[in-house]
Amino acid sequence: MAAEYKKNSLSLLGAVSLGTGVMIGAGIFALLGQVAELSGKLFPIAFVVGAIISAFSAYSYIKLSNTFPSAGGIGMYLVKEYGKTTFTAFAALLMAFSMVINESLVARTFGTYTMQLFGNGDNSFWIPALGVGLIILAFIVNISGNKFIERSSFTMAVLKVIGLAILAVGGLWASEFAFGETIPSAMPDKPFFSFIGALALTILAYKGFTTITNSGDEIKKPHKNVGRAIIIAIAICVVLYYVVAISVASSLSIEQIIEARDYSLAEAARPTFGDFGVWVTVGVAIIATISGIIASIFAVSRMTAMLTKMKLIPHSHLGLSGRIQKHMLVYIAATTIVLTIFLDLSRIASLGAIFYLVMDIGIHYGLLRKLRDKVEFNPVVVIAAIFLDAAVLAGFIWTKIQTDKMILFIALAAMLLIYFGEKWFLSTREEEGH
């Protein structure tokens, strides 16, 4: 069973597969249209800038994982930085919910692309229904053990990278590799803050690298391979994202991408490959989303199980048998199903981006202020990561103030509920003498 941590059960290749599985699953399929809507003609470049910002963030995680490799990943890093405090539990839960939100994003993307096989991208019933089916499948796979997860993740990672590369090269071939046409020669067609807001979504497309840190000492030679796996995964994804974005830009106008934003890759394949291209794109999307949600559930269940064992979050067996990690799989799957049913892709992505960026700033700040004597790192890089995250978060919030204030109220209410709920929970434990 996957309920117990098993050191050295994941190879470097397996760790890279888990990271790319999450990133490619949500990043390019679910977010490309939304990024194009905010950044306009600069959307291929937005994915590159997002990778650069994510690389600054990854620096802190690599340094932390080299010093504190743990299956608890981010939860353990926060404990090292802030102790067993309310902020630690708050930030860790933001990360956990961000990952769960990402899973619902992937699940709805699965439903949206699958419906393209039937010529319908807007069927409100079948999209969440198919997403729920995928979540149930991912839950079953996750209780089958690490080796099965690693083998399936690697196989699907290879298939989707090859599939996307073929589609991208095919699109570029049809456009006679007109790279220059995809780089605007005029002024950007979207406001500056809108482009900055788009970067929040591209960062969300790369945040899957944290899946690798959450696997911690389950990875062979974690002091070396966690960092290597993160670097390799981001490098693979930035190349793939950029080439795919250029291919889409050469096939569709920005208006067409926005119109089909939830399934823009499938629509982009149509001019070059016809219905066959749509079928292939949908097939790759299905593979990508399946592997993405399997990898994400694998990681978040371990992090939340670690938080439970550290008595930082409440836990109830609710009559379930087995170990805590198995219970967390059940809770995570159930929460993801609810989000998949009730939220659309745009709001899911927005909520995930806000939660992740707030948590990410907390990680960098804690490293900078609390662990200088324990972790060897360059403070200039960490300060730059904080600045970049804060700038992107501010730009995204400003964009949402103009387009969707409700999601900001939802995000703020959720964060206040998590923070004060944790404050109450930890205070009751102190009163009980725990």
Side-chain angles (χ1 to χ4, degrees), residues 201-428:
L201 297 179
T202 62
I203 290 170
L204 193 63
Y206 291 103
K207 70 178 278 292
F209 77 79
T210 58
T211 302
I212 298 169
T213 66
N214 285 346
S215 297
D217 54 0
E218 292 188 301
I219 298 173
K220 296 176 182 176
K221 299 180 181 178
H223 293 281
K224 293 182 178 179
N225 283 339
V226 170
R228 289 174 179 172
I230 288 172
I231 293 168
I232 293 170
I234 291 177
I236 290 172
C237 287
V238 66
V239 172
L240 195 60
Y241 287 173
Y242 184 64
V243 173
V244 169
I246 287 178
S247 178
V248 171
S250 68
S251 299
L252 302 175
S253 67
I254 294 299
E255 291 73 21
Q256 289 172 319
I257 295 170
I258 294 171
E259 183 180 354
R261 67 177 188 168
D262 291 344
Y263 50 94
S264 53
L265 274 184
E267 199 63 29
R270 197 182 300 276
T272 302
F273 299 101
D275 289 340
F276 174 76
V278 174
W279 279 69
V280 172
T281 305
V282 171
V284 176
I286 289 172
I287 293 171
T289 49
I290 289 173
S291 63
I293 203 165
I294 288 172
S296 183
I297 288 179
F298 176 85
V300 72
S301 66
R302 278 144 181 77
M303 189 180 81
T304 51
M306 179 70 74
L307 293 172
T308 301
K309 290 179 179 178
M310 290 189 293
K311 311 297 183 184
L312 283 172
I313 60 175
H315 177 76
S316 173
H317 290 270
L318 297 178
L320 296 172
S321 60
R323 298 178 180 272
I324 289 176
Q325 190 268 340
K326 180 181 176 182
H327 303 167
M328 300 315 299
L329 283 172
V330 175
Y331 305 153
I332 291 161
T335 304
T336 307
I337 286 172
V338 172
L339 291 172
T340 301
I341 293 172
F342 291 106
L343 290 181
D344 63 24
L345 279 173
S346 177
R347 284 186 162 173
I348 291 171
S350 298
L351 201 58
I354 293 168
F355 281 10
Y356 173 72
L357 286 168
V358 171
M359 182 283 308
D360 202 45
I361 291 170
I363 285 281
H364 301 316
Y365 182 80
L367 174 61
L368 186 67
R369 295 299 302 271
K370 308 287 186 179
L371 295 178
R372 288 199 180 197
D373 58 335
K374 295 181 180 179
V375 180
E376 185 179 342
F377 65 92
N378 186 335
V380 174
V381 179
V382 179
I383 291 170
I386 294 173
F387 173 79
L388 291 169
D389 274 355
V392 170
L393 180 59
F396 188 67
I397 289 173
W398 179 254
T399 301
K400 288 300 172 182
I401 285 173
Q402 300 175 65
T403 60
D404 187 11
K405 294 185 181 71
M406 181 56 67
I407 196 61
L408 297 179
F409 288 122
I410 292 172
L412 179 60
M415 286 191 288
L416 289 173
L417 182 63
I418 293 169
Y419 182 84
F420 287 105
E422 275 298 325
K423 190 175 182 66
W424 172 82
F425 170 72
L426 293 176
S427 68
T428 57

